[in-house]
Amino acid sequence: MNADIRDGRHRHGRVLPLLTIALALAIFLFDTFSPMKIAVAVLYAIVIFMAVGFVDRRGIVTVALACVALTIVGFAAGAERPGFEAHLLRGLVSLSAIAIATLLAIRNQAAAAVLGESERRWRTIFQSVGVSIWEEDFSRVRRAFDDLARQGVSDFRRHLEDDPHFVERCISLVEIVDINDAVIRLLGASDKAEVLTQRRRFFLPETVVAYRELLIALAEGRPSYAGESALQTIAGERRSILITATFPADGTRISGLISAVDITERNRVERALAQARAELAHVSRFITLGELAASIAHEVKQPLAAIVTNGQACLRWLDRPVPDLAEARACAERIVGEGGRADHVIQRLRGLARKADPERLAVDVNAVVDEVVELMQRDIADHQVALRLDLSPDLPPVPADRVQLQQVLINLVINALQAMAAVSGRELTVETREDQAGDVLVSVGDSGVGLDEEAMAHLFAPFYTTKSDGMGMGLSICRSIIESHGGRIWATRNAGAGAAFHFVLPVTRRRAA
Ligand code: ADP
């Protein structure tokens, strides 16, 4: 016996069986005792159809046999009356009606069983798939689109992008047919009702944007939509999601299946990774510089100490009432010797530094900008900064160290993001073009706090910082990298808010400044 029928029984309780029995009796009494010459027993077909609601296949057969028996009893009771032939005909018509009704009822019930089974399978998938699914009815939205089309609108994308009120209206026209338990879990709600009654509570501005794109897909007749977006939970926590929407044809209804996968954790890990990489690039230069400084200090310290000691001894020999010139000379010679040793150390270090000379390969600066933008994408999005790229398409390649150029750009972008942290209307611009001399000019502009006189004067000096956690090495490293490429770096104040940093890289290699 299938679930539907069990449900049916449960729903109707005892009322339907009692009604059915009452109807069967009424038909029997009418058939047997009424003088009217009509095939009343045909009405047993109704009894059989009613029985479908609360008995299984065998039950239908039993009810049908009972109806046949009652028809025969009714027939026998009326057989004495005049007009036997017509009476027989009526009996046969009634029996045929019962037989046909029984066949139809059994077939109907089998079809209902198949349907119930497929419905149950769909329910199981719907609930256990682990992906949040909303089943929504877009019929009313479709009608709103049709109205628009009648008014002559054909570019739905433009219309929806230009009219946020229409988007809002469409969202309110969508009817949620059902949601699965994963939606309730994703939103941190306690039950279905909480989700269905407070739909807009879970929307963030990004959710509206994704919904708009989904509506555009529907309006343009595309079969599906996929994109990244975000929702907020009952507790106000932001959840990043991957949305997929499909619009299966469903008779007259325009339905949509919208599924969402929570990618908050994946994004967090990705973001942490990108940040770690950017920070690494930001400080790596500082670390090598620091290490170099430490090793120079260590190597030069000893000869310097010897020079000081010998200098002091030399002075003492000269300060005697009778200066001991021989000893003083010996000290001076040792000073010269130690000086030579210090010089040797420095020569060695310079040789080492030269060996570690960075690469000079033909580099496409636009490609480096793209790489850095990709690397910093998350930070840019997190700071809610609008990025404008204006890259000249025909830049000549420059002889440069790709990694070092990346470091310069990362430093400039990080500074720009930090300068915009506390302002509204954040815009980051990265531009590349050829300058008048045919060299490559790169500019990184922001709409941040800008630069005062003091900053303009000291920006590129090592250890100049206005940040509590700043090292003040970023711009000084940028300058040393750019100058080692034979280029130049400088800052300007924007006409509006913010600052811009520019550097030029010569196309033909010049001697480092
Ligand atoms: P740090 O970032 O560690 O402070 P930097 O050398 O990169 O070191 O920057 C030095 C200082 O220059 C910063 O502390 C800040 O005051 C200023 N600065 C750098 N970039 C910008 C910018 N885009 N807008 C405003 N001020 C900036």
Side-chain angles (χ1 to χ4, degrees), residues 415-416 419 446 450-451 459 464-467 470-475 499 501:
N415 277 346
D446 62 59
L451 301 164
L459 275 178
Y464 172 75
T465 180
T466 55
K467 299 166 195 165
M471 286 195 289
M473 286 306 293
L475 288 175
F501 286 79

Side-chain angles (χ1 to χ4, degrees), residues 183-204 231-239:
V183 174
I184 300 172
R185 283 196 300 274
L186 173 74
L187 300 174
S190 47
D191 56 22
K192 212 183 225 181
E194 198 171 12
V195 178
L196 298 183
T197 51
Q198 317 179 51
R199 281 175 66 185
R200 292 311 300 264
R201 179 170 173 172
F202 308 104
F203 273 57
L204 287 170
L231 280 170
Q232 96 181 326
T233 65
I234 281 273
E237 263 174 48
R238 192 193 142 84
R239 302 259 119 206

Side-chain angles (χ1 to χ4, degrees), residues 24-216:
L25 273 177
I27 296 169
F28 173 71
L29 293 175
F30 201 76
D31 183 35
T32 314
F33 302 109
S34 158
M36 287 172 76
K37 298 192 177 358
I38 51 168
V40 177
V42 165
L43 296 177
Y44 283 124
I46 299 174
V47 172
I48 292 165
F49 286 132
M50 281 172 80
V52 174
F54 57 92
V55 294
D56 61 5
R57 189 190 158 103
R58 277 176 59 187
I60 290 175
V61 175
T62 312
V63 171
L65 288 176
C67 289
V68 168
L70 288 177
T71 308
I72 291 170
V73 172
F75 173 78
E80 303 301 313
R81 294 185 208 148
F84 178 76
E85 275 176 22
H87 185 58
L88 181 64
L89 199 69
R90 282 196 295 274
L92 289 175
V93 166
S94 298
L95 287 177
S96 322
I98 290 170
I100 292 167
T102 309
L103 280 177
L104 285 177
I106 288 173
R107 256 185 50 192
N108 200 343
Q109 203 174 57
V114 171
L115 208 69
E117 177 58 26
S118 110
E119 164 82 12
R120 215 178 36 238
R121 275 216 315 271
W122 151 244
R123 282 269 124 215
T124 314
I125 295 170
F126 186 65
Q127 284 303 352
S128 62
V129 71
V131 173
S132 307
I133 303 176
W134 289 256
E135 191 186 347
E136 301 191 338
D137 183 352
F138 286 89
S139 305
R140 290 199 294 165
V141 178
R142 182 79 262 174
R143 282 199 284 278
F145 289 161
D146 291 345
D147 285 347
L148 273 188
R150 272 196 290 277
Q151 287 161 29
V153 174
S154 57
D155 188 345
F156 284 101
R157 169 169 290 281
R158 250 225 16 238
H159 190 84
L160 275 119
E161 279 176 357
D162 290 350
D163 189 354
H165 295 299
F166 182 68
V167 174
E168 286 296 332
R169 211 187 104 216
C170 288
I171 295 176
S172 66
L173 287 178
V174 175
E175 199 183 310
I176 301 184
V177 178
D178 202 359
I179 55 169
N180 66 359
D181 292 347
V183 174
I184 300 172
R185 283 196 300 274
L186 173 74
L187 300 174
S190 47
D191 56 22
K192 212 183 225 181
E194 198 171 12
V195 178
L196 298 183
T197 51
Q198 317 179 51
R199 281 175 66 185
R200 292 311 300 264
R201 179 170 173 172
F202 308 104
F203 273 57
L204 287 170
E206 296 103 300
T207 328
V208 179
V209 173
Y211 222 102
R212 188 189 66 204
E213 290 303 312
L214 181 158
L215 290 169
I216 293 172

